[in-house]
Amino acid sequence: MASPEAPESVVQFALDKLGGLDYLVLNHIGGAPAGTRARTPQATRWLMQVNFLSYVQLTSRALPSLTDSKGSLVVVSSLLGRVPTSFSTPYSAAKFALDGFFGSLRRELDVQDVNVAITMCVLGLRDRASAAEAVRGVTRVKASPGPKAALAVIRGGATRAAGVFYPWRFHLLCLLRRWLPRPRAWFIRQDLNVTAAAAA
């Protein structure tokens, strides 16, 4: 999805082979190592293409078919798209953009009486080797089991839920962000190894 042309061809391939779409699950990711080096304009541009613009392109291309089938869009995002934290600037920017775009799209579809469900999935760190490597030494957060996160995403999409939070406690953290910003910052700081991240 790093190429602007890739999303178009992916959806067209699915439409040609399947004749239409009932579900579109957007769950690809471009990661960057945590730390200050990841804030370059080039790294940010690449992350925005993979983690945001390709989602928009896939959705735009698939929306007519999903409208016909009264289908579902399942958008896999991150806690860092709801709660900003240190040393994840470009990644967080792309994930916040997802929340804004798909939140607005949900409202647009609603006022136009278009029956396409949008499920936003807010996931935490998963126990994949690439994810663990990217944040090694930067965070003390315990990774969640990937299969359980996948099951939460599937369940949310199948029930046309507006939102999925996995682990569930992230829903509380997102609420806390609005109500009590200072304590939230304290909680986040407890999970960071600031000296390791700054050195990266």
Side-chain angles (χ1 to χ4, degrees):
M1 294 300 145
S3 159
E5 297 79 29
E8 294 284 329
S9 59
V10 167
V11 173
Q12 192 58 52
F13 178 81
L15 292 173
D16 292 345
K17 293 292 182 186
L18 304 173
L21 292 172
D22 294 319
Y23 287 89
L24 178 62
V25 180
L26 302 169
N27 185 28
H28 53 278
I29 184 172
T36 55
R37 287 190 303 241
R39 290 195 303 244
T40 66
Q42 295 84 359
T44 302
R45 192 173 296 113
W46 183 82
L47 277 170
M48 289 300 281
Q49 172 58 44
V50 174
N51 290 344
F52 173 61
L53 294 174
S54 64
Y55 280 52
V56 173
Q57 291 172 287
L58 287 163
T59 299
S60 299
R61 184 70 185 90
L63 201 51
S65 182
L66 291 170
T67 300
D68 291 343
S69 68
K70 297 179 173 48
S72 296
L73 270 167
V74 181
V75 183
V76 178
S77 189
S78 168
L79 179 64
L80 299 182
R82 295 284 182 97
V83 179
T85 188
S86 305
F87 309 110
S88 65
T89 310
Y91 181 81
S92 285
K95 295 304 182 179
F96 265 91
L98 284 179
D99 194 47
F101 179 84
F102 286 101
S104 295
L105 180 60
R106 181 185 287 135
R107 297 291 157 258
E108 289 174 21
L109 297 176
D110 183 49
V111 298
Q112 295 171 16
D113 292 321
V114 176
N115 190 9
V116 174
I118 297 178
T119 301
M120 287 295 297
C121 303
V122 178
L123 306 180
L125 182 63
R126 277 151 344 268
D127 60 357
R128 295 185 337 257
S130 59
E133 185 59 36
V135 296
R136 184 181 311 281
V138 175
T139 183
R140 297 181 194 94
V141 172
K142 186 175 184 244
S144 300
K148 288 186 178 180
L151 184 59
V153 169
I154 292 166
R155 195 175 288 137
T159 60
R160 298 171 70 94
V164 170
F165 293 85
Y166 186 82
W168 67 269
R169 69 180 182 274
F170 287 162
H171 194 198
L172 298 176
L173 188 58
C174 291
L175 293 173
L176 187 65
R177 173 182 182 244
R178 292 190 180 121
W179 298 338
L180 304 166
R182 280 189 151 327
R184 181 226 21 160
W186 181 85
F187 284 117
I188 289 172
R189 190 167 177 85
Q190 300 315 300
D191 289 328
L192 287 177
N193 181 352
V194 177
T195 54

